[in-house]
Amino acid sequence: MLRFESPIYLYLLLIIPVFFGLMFWAEYRRRKAIKKLGDAQLIAQLMPGASTKRRWIKFSALQLALAMLILMVARPQMGTKVSNEKRNGIECIIAMDISNSMLAEDVQPSRLDKSKMLVENLVDKFNNDKIGLIVFAGEAFVQLPITSDYVSAKMFLQSIEPSLIQTQGTDLAQAINLASKSFTQQDKIGKAIIVITDGEDHEGGASEAAKAAMKKGMNVFILGIGDTNGAPIPTGRGGYMTDNTGNTVMTRLNEQMCREIASAGKGTYIHVDNTSAAQERLNDELSKLQQGSMKSVIYSEYNEQFQVFGILCVLLLIIEICINETVNPFFSKIRIFHKK
């Protein structure tokens, strides 16, 4: 398996398309300047040694050499030892409500941002566990398939916004059903579905979905976020969402529904507010789940592979030096001789 020890330097590869763009611009200016001198065919006859093709070959070789140099700096490495390790952990699918009501600010900085912070802190506590992300509103889809790659989990987490789903509403049943299908097929391992929502279920059937998941050995935890007194929904333009009559829409946490769903899924309902109590309680509940043995492929004993890129870089530079921008006079004479 190939990896780069210093992948940050790979961003330097972005300068190569810029150089090609500058080269195209320079060629355009060059052709434009030649046209001002007179007829293009006549000028070409006056410069029989000029070769645009050779100029591009030299330039391309130089850019490839630069690419090889950048890859060298990024320190390519190859894993020479592969081992299958067994690690104890649980599997956790997080279904996050991203309907517009999650923009309410009764929990600081907002319901959605608080949910992201909670999940990020949860991932920081994970060690040998696997995590998956589902987002839902009026429909649900998998944002991140179940994985032990916590860096990717955090990256996908930050990109979650209500605009990801055009169909508004809150379909908890669809989210739970999708989560129950997103685990691995491994047995004897704790599996948790964590639903983060304000409980405004518009479709129904969530308790039945939680009960079905429970029968498959999955615990359904509901994290209710928001205030039962309600809060307006910001529109992002300094105002708040209104209904058809012009009244401000108030969104309220439906704790009763959250408790019913958690009970049906043999899980726990946890109220998320502006404190850290919900985080601590969730960690405690997850620690009670059965931890099973999961197989993971581990690469170790990486060897440096920059030598290959270094050799290619040198060869490309030699090719660039050996190619002249003008046609070799010897070959020009041969072509003239054959024409005669």
Side-chain angles (χ1 to χ4, degrees):
M1 180 180 179
L2 181 68
R3 74 168 190 180
F4 292 91
E5 180 67 20
S6 305
I8 189 68
Y9 292 108
L10 294 177
Y11 285 109
L12 292 174
L13 291 171
L14 296 175
I15 66 175
I16 294 178
V18 175
F19 287 151
F20 270 98
L22 292 173
M23 183 64 174
F24 276 110
W25 180 77
E27 285 293 312
Y28 168 76
R29 293 293 300 273
R30 183 175 181 273
R31 289 194 300 270
K32 192 174 181 180
I34 291 176
K35 285 181 179 180
K36 292 181 179 180
L37 297 176
D39 182 72
Q41 293 183 351
L42 178 60
I43 293 174
Q45 293 176 1
L46 295 174
M47 298 186 300
S51 174
T52 303
K53 184 184 296 184
R54 286 171 175 265
R55 188 161 53 251
W56 274 104
I57 293 175
K58 283 176 65 67
F59 178 77
S60 298
L62 189 61
Q63 297 309 304
L64 285 174
L66 177 59
M68 295 301 106
L69 181 61
I70 293 172
L71 292 175
M72 284 177 58
V73 174
R75 294 184 60 191
Q77 298 177 338
M78 184 74 73
T80 58
K81 181 179 179 181
V82 180
S83 60
N84 291 304
E85 294 187 2
K86 290 186 176 181
R87 309 190 300 177
N88 293 323
I90 65 170
E91 293 183 1
C92 180
I93 300 292
I94 297 174
M96 186 177 296
D97 187 347
I98 61 169
S99 57
N100 285 331
S101 60
M102 292 294 286
L103 296 175
E105 298 173 345
D106 47 358
V107 176
Q108 296 298 319
S110 71
R111 295 178 183 178
L112 183 58
D113 288 334
K114 178 69 173 182
S115 300
K116 291 181 182 181
M117 292 165 58
L118 192 149
V119 175
E120 186 170 351
N121 290 335
L122 179 64
V123 172
D124 288 337
K125 296 288 184 181
F126 280 178
N127 186 14
N128 298 325
D129 311 290
K130 289 187 176 181
I131 185 174
L133 290 175
I134 288 176
V135 293
F136 69 96
E139 56 185 2
F141 69 87
V142 176
Q143 177 79 348
L144 175 70
I146 192 163
T147 179
S148 56
D149 184 355
Y150 304 143
V151 174
S152 295
K154 288 185 177 181
M155 180 182 68
F156 277 94
L157 182 66
Q158 295 306 317
S159 65
I160 292 177
E161 296 293 341
S163 59
L164 289 177
I165 298 180
Q166 298 299 320
T167 306
Q168 279 302 307
T170 306
D171 194 340
L172 288 168
Q174 186 179 164
I176 295 172
N177 288 330
L178 180 59
S180 65
K181 299 175 183 177
S182 302
F183 291 98
T184 67
Q185 300 301 313
Q186 190 169 347
D187 297 326
K188 298 180 180 179
I189 183 172
K191 297 181 179 181
I193 298 174
I194 301 175
V195 181
I196 306 178
T197 181
D198 51 24
E200 292 190 342
D201 187 14
H202 298 160
E203 304 298 330
S207 294
E208 290 76 8
K211 189 176 295 183
M214 180 269 295
K215 291 180 179 179
K216 297 177 184 178
M218 306 164 191
N219 298 83
V220 180
F221 297 88
I222 304 295
L223 273 60
I225 186 165
D227 195 326
T228 55
N229 294 323
I233 304 172
T235 60
R237 298 184 295 272
Y240 296 98
M241 188 176 296
T242 58
D243 57 21
N244 294 331
T245 61
N247 295 318
T248 301
V249 175
M250 299 295 288
T251 171
R252 295 175 175 81
L253 169 63
N254 190 339
E255 283 198 308
Q256 181 179 352
M257 178 174 291
C258 290
R259 288 193 176 94
E260 291 175 357
I261 299 171
S263 177
K266 289 293 178 68
T268 303
Y269 166 68
I270 301 173
H271 180 215
V272 180
D273 52 21
N274 289 308
T275 69
S276 60
Q279 185 78 62
E280 296 172 0
R281 189 177 176 192
L282 179 60
N283 292 335
D284 291 340
E285 293 294 334
L286 293 179
S287 65
K288 298 176 185 176
L289 296 180
Q290 177 184 2
Q291 293 188 336
S293 178
M294 297 183 291
K295 287 186 177 180
S296 298
V297 177
I298 306 297
Y299 290 87
S300 58
E301 296 183 9
Y302 285 89
N303 285 341
E304 300 285 347
Q305 300 295 321
F306 68 89
Q307 299 91 338
V308 176
F309 297 98
I311 293 172
L312 290 174
C313 180
V314 172
L315 290 176
L316 287 165
L317 289 174
I318 293 174
I319 292 173
E320 195 274 339
I321 293 172
C322 291
I323 297 176
N324 293 322
E325 285 195 11
T326 57
V327 178
N328 192 307
F330 175 76
F331 293 110
S332 299
K333 291 179 181 178
I334 292 177
R335 284 202 297 270
I336 294 172
F337 175 79
H338 282 297
K339 287 180 179 180
K340 293 180 178 180

